[in-house]
Amino acid sequence: MQKKKLFWRAWSVTTASVMADTGDRLGADGYFRRLTLRIVPPPSAEAQAASEVLAVQTGNAGKDSRMEETENSPQIIWLQSEPGVEKKLGEKTEDGAPWPRPLIFLPVSDNPAGDTLFFTALRAALWPDKFTSLPTIGLSAVAGPAKPFFALRILADYRPIFFPARAERLSRSWAREQALRLQRLPEQVSFILSTSGSTKPGGRLVGLSLAALRASHQATAQRLGGNGIWVSALPRDHIAGFQVIARAYAGGTEPVTIDMTGGFKLSRLREALQNIPSAGVPIYLSLVPTQLTRALADSETLTALRLCSTILVGGARISPSLLAAGREQGLNLVTTYGMTETCGGCVYDGVPLPGVKVAVNEGRIWLATPTLMSGYLEAASDPEIQVFEGETWLATNDAGRIIFEDEETSARTEDDALSGSESSNLQTPSSPLTDPTSRQIQLEASENLSLAQRSADLSPNKPPREGTIDIIDSSSSARLEVLGRLDDTIISGGENISLPLVARAAEDAGFAGIEFCGLPDEEWGQVLCAVFAKPTLADSALASHDLDSENLDPAHLGSQLRAALRGSLPASHLPRAAAIVSNFPLLPSGKLDRRALQESTRSLDKENRTWRK
């Protein structure tokens, strides 16, 4: 196995790099002044005309102001740095960025027929047809249906930034609020996407460049074996669904989009797949585990899925049993790991895509990838991004470990990593329990170091220690195992309990499809609560343990689960509460809404509808 080493050292930031990153400027009086963005009018008559073609300006149009609050048409806001300095078209400021630039909000709905501007904008930006080399034509001479295309051509000279947003929330006031959130706008940013909101309410605004999106497409095509027809069945305002469209256009093909009005329908997915002409071109589909579960349960949809060359599964953890069930049915399922910050998936089936490097340091996953974001745009800087030995790395909030296929190498790596500096979390696949927040949980209490003390070493803001650590890339005979989020932890009685760890143990014990959260408790501070969803009970606890569905209650489920986990987890990690909800709440991206789950479970607890040990 080819083994690579990366020397992690303290990251020193020069004053010049800080200034370049945040947009600060040193004044003549010696004080730093921030160059804030401001909203300005279109800089020319043709820019004004193009803006009005794409987004009718309502400010002075005599409309009732109340209409502006409910308007969900495209919106364009022109942004300029350096207040008081007007720039001509193409003229640049000190930092090389042309100003002003149009921030174009693209309405995205469940019905692709209503998202013409979204598709046109992405096609113009990503399709390799030299869009900007086309001549600029006066809009007065262009027929109505072609006006949006040529309006985009005019605005292309001003280097627009596109922001896909849900049509129902897109009003002029909302667009203005988002524009005012921006503290910086690097020159290379062409798209702004919001994260799902799983870690921050409302999400974070991520700037993506065309270069990063194209690098993502190229790496994906190389791994999958070439370009193909991409089928869109995910929300297009989040990175997973957005990338399906972007990959198609970057590869020179038109995406196949599914009408999601009223929710995801298996019949629409089947129809879309069956209507794709059989021209020998690979068909690629991207799903979240919830969609895959429903598809596998329907024989007609399963037959249609077999038309796909590859089905990417991501957005949430996929259980080994679901993955095995799909592959047993002949589906080429590929698990993906990535995030908005990396233009979506950059690790497939645990193996980095070409050009991507992965490291695990003290249990935390670090990524170096050409698909990396340009930054969080509402922040002055990105402490998550650091440079080591000339390479830019992103410190994720995810825990993981690197698993080597060669057992001899695995044993040697573990000895190297866990002796002396304990600088990494590289462990053998045979490790009994791997806790992403505390290196390793033993069945008996540690004699020298408590779980709370160990997890304190994994502060999200703590940089890597000095030392050596193994990294892997697409050529390495090793893979990444994602263990869960570093913050998916509760403290009960002074012990840190990793929720993903308990979930995996429950699944191994036959209780698949369970989520966990913490409930307030006077004695323990928090207690671990197992949350069951009614639709999944028949496929998990009932089927595996012959539980009586008519007498099913949280007390019975909780007791059965504790008994099943006893012996495979420490006593501190056995759930002390259980609850049953109608359905697991999901975010628009398809991920579990942990905040909503926590709130609903606590409400049940206040109503004495949970079981407590």
Side-chain angles (χ1 to χ4, degrees):
M1 183 204 74
Q2 181 182 2
K3 188 176 180 182
K4 299 184 178 181
K5 294 284 186 178
L6 175 67
F7 180 70
W8 298 89
R9 66 183 181 183
W11 185 45
S12 61
V13 184
T14 65
T15 301
S17 65
V18 172
M19 291 168 60
D21 182 51
T22 65
D24 286 338
R25 289 293 182 272
L26 187 61
D29 53 4
Y31 289 94
F32 283 105
R33 289 190 173 87
R34 180 167 308 285
L35 297 180
T36 56
L37 298 171
R38 66 166 184 161
I39 299 174
V40 298
S44 68
E46 66 172 8
Q48 173 82 31
S51 297
E52 292 182 350
V53 165
L54 298 179
V56 177
Q57 303 298 301
T58 58
N60 299 313
K63 288 188 177 182
D64 189 329
S65 60
R66 289 173 297 178
M67 294 182 64
E68 294 186 27
E69 297 303 317
T70 59
E71 179 115 22
N72 57 11
S73 64
Q75 300 294 330
I76 299 180
I77 295 178
W78 288 81
L79 297 174
Q80 183 179 27
S81 67
E82 299 187 280
V85 178
E86 301 297 332
K87 297 292 179 182
K88 296 180 180 178
L89 176 60
E91 190 175 348
K92 301 190 176 215
T93 59
E94 292 177 17
D95 58 6
W99 293 99
R101 296 178 67 185
L103 175 59
I104 305 177
F105 291 84
L106 305 172
V108 176
S109 65
D110 292 325
N111 186 356
D115 297 346
T116 303
L117 183 61
F118 171 83
F119 291 107
T120 303
L122 263 66
R123 190 184 191 280
L126 291 163
W127 192 291
D129 61 358
K130 299 181 179 179
F131 172 75
T132 55
S133 67
L134 296 175
T136 301
I137 300 177
L139 292 176
S140 59
V142 178
K147 282 185 183 293
F149 181 86
F150 283 95
L152 282 174
R153 169 64 193 89
I154 291 172
L155 295 183
D157 288 332
Y158 295 88
R159 305 195 69 249
I161 309 103
F162 297 108
F163 191 147
R166 292 293 301 180
E168 58 267 23
R169 73 163 61 170
L170 181 52
S171 65
R172 188 145 184 85
S173 60
W174 182 87
R176 187 181 180 88
E177 288 176 5
Q178 303 310 303
L180 293 175
R181 288 175 63 186
L182 302 175
Q183 290 193 30
R184 55 178 170 154
L185 199 56
E187 179 185 4
Q188 65 270 27
V189 170
S190 292
F191 288 92
I192 297 176
L193 269 76
S194 176
T195 60
S196 63
S198 58
T199 59
K200 177 184 178 182
R204 306 175 75 177
L205 300 184
V206 175
L208 302 178
S209 68
L210 287 179
L213 289 170
R214 291 192 177 109
S216 176
H217 157 70
Q218 291 167 1
T220 299
Q222 187 174 342
R223 174 62 57 84
L224 299 183
N227 295 324
I229 297 174
W230 285 89
V231 181
S232 169
L234 297 170
R236 292 181 292 277
D237 57 322
H238 290 287
I239 190 62
F242 175 89
Q243 270 288 52
V244 171
I245 309 301
R247 290 191 190 109
Y249 286 142
T253 63
E254 288 286 346
V256 175
T257 53
I258 297 172
D259 186 355
M260 301 282 283
T261 304
F264 173 69
K265 308 287 187 184
L266 292 177
S267 59
R268 294 171 180 166
L269 176 60
R270 290 197 303 268
E271 182 180 2
L273 292 172
Q274 292 167 353
N275 288 339
I276 296 175
S278 55
V281 179
I283 298 175
Y284 302 132
L285 173 66
S286 185
L287 297 174
V288 296
T290 303
Q291 293 173 316
L292 179 61
T293 300
R294 293 176 55 188
L296 292 181
D298 183 84
S299 59
E300 293 184 28
T301 305
L302 180 59
T303 300
L305 290 182
R306 294 193 180 104
L307 298 173
C308 299
S309 301
T310 301
I311 300 175
L312 303 181
V313 186
R317 178 179 177 270
I318 179 173
S319 69
S321 57
L322 177 60
L323 190 62
R327 287 172 173 170
E328 287 174 1
Q329 294 296 330
L331 303 181
N332 181 24
L333 301 179
V334 174
T335 62
T336 69
Y337 168 70
M339 56 210 71
T340 309
E341 293 86 337
T342 59
C343 291
C346 60
V347 178
Y348 284 10
D349 281 339
V351 180
L353 291 181
V356 178
K357 294 182 180 180
V358 177
V360 176
N361 185 43
E362 294 188 316
R364 187 184 198 138
I365 299 174
W366 290 71
L367 299 170
T369 169
T371 67
L372 186 61
M373 66 175 177
S374 301
Y376 294 115
L377 303 183
E378 78 273 32
S381 62
D382 300 304
E384 301 88 349
I385 297 179
Q386 300 190 21
V387 178
F388 302 97
E389 296 294 317
E391 289 189 310
T392 302
W393 290 81
L394 171 70
T396 74
N397 199 33
D398 297 318
R401 63 174 180 171
I402 294 175
I403 299 179
F404 296 94
E405 298 177 358
D406 185 318
E407 290 185 359
E408 179 180 351
T409 302
S410 299
R412 184 172 64 251
T413 300
E414 182 177 25
D415 292 340
D416 293 341
L418 298 181
S419 63
S421 65
E422 292 188 324
S423 62
S424 69
N425 188 33
L426 304 180
Q427 302 180 23
T428 64
S430 59
S431 297
L433 293 171
T434 302
D435 183 344
T437 64
S438 58
R439 300 189 181 93
Q440 186 176 359
I441 295 176
Q442 303 295 342
L443 292 179
E444 297 180 359
S446 172
E447 295 180 356
N448 301 319
L449 196 63
S450 72
L451 289 175
Q453 289 172 317
R454 291 179 179 185
S455 63
D457 287 340
L458 298 179
S459 169
N461 296 322
K462 183 177 181 180
R465 298 175 180 176
E466 293 186 6
T468 58
I469 182 171
D470 291 276
I471 65 174
I472 62 172
D473 58 19
S474 59
S475 65
S476 304
S477 56
R479 64 182 178 86
L480 170 70
E481 181 182 11
V482 181
L483 301 175
R485 296 190 60 82
L486 287 170
D487 54 5
D488 281 351
T489 303
I490 68 168
I491 301 177
S492 181
E495 296 288 347
N496 283 33
I497 300 177
S498 165
L499 303 186
L501 172 68
V502 180
R504 287 194 301 276
E507 185 172 292
D508 292 341
F511 285 81
I514 303 177
E515 297 293 343
F516 293 87
C517 67
L519 290 178
D521 186 83
E522 291 185 4
E523 178 182 359
W524 299 93
Q526 283 183 300
V527 293
L528 179 64
C529 180
V531 186
F532 299 81
K534 292 179 181 179
T536 61
L537 286 174
D539 298 326
S540 55
L542 292 176
S544 302
H545 299 275
D546 298 324
L547 299 177
D548 187 351
S549 60
E550 295 183 358
N551 298 318
L552 202 61
D553 61 72
H556 195 184
L557 285 172
S559 299
Q560 290 289 324
L561 180 58
R562 280 180 61 88
L565 294 178
R566 189 173 289 114
S568 62
L569 285 177
S572 62
H573 283 55
L574 300 181
R576 291 181 172 272
I580 301 176
V581 297
S582 299
N583 288 285
F584 289 133
L586 301 177
L587 294 165
S589 60
K591 296 181 180 180
L592 177 70
D593 189 338
R594 293 199 173 276
R595 291 186 184 85
L597 178 69
Q598 183 92 29
E599 292 174 2
S600 60
T601 305
R602 290 191 178 191
S603 296
L604 292 173
D605 191 52
K606 290 179 180 179
E607 298 169 3
N608 295 319
R609 296 170 61 189
T610 61
W611 167 77
R612 291 265 194 156
K613 180 179 172 4

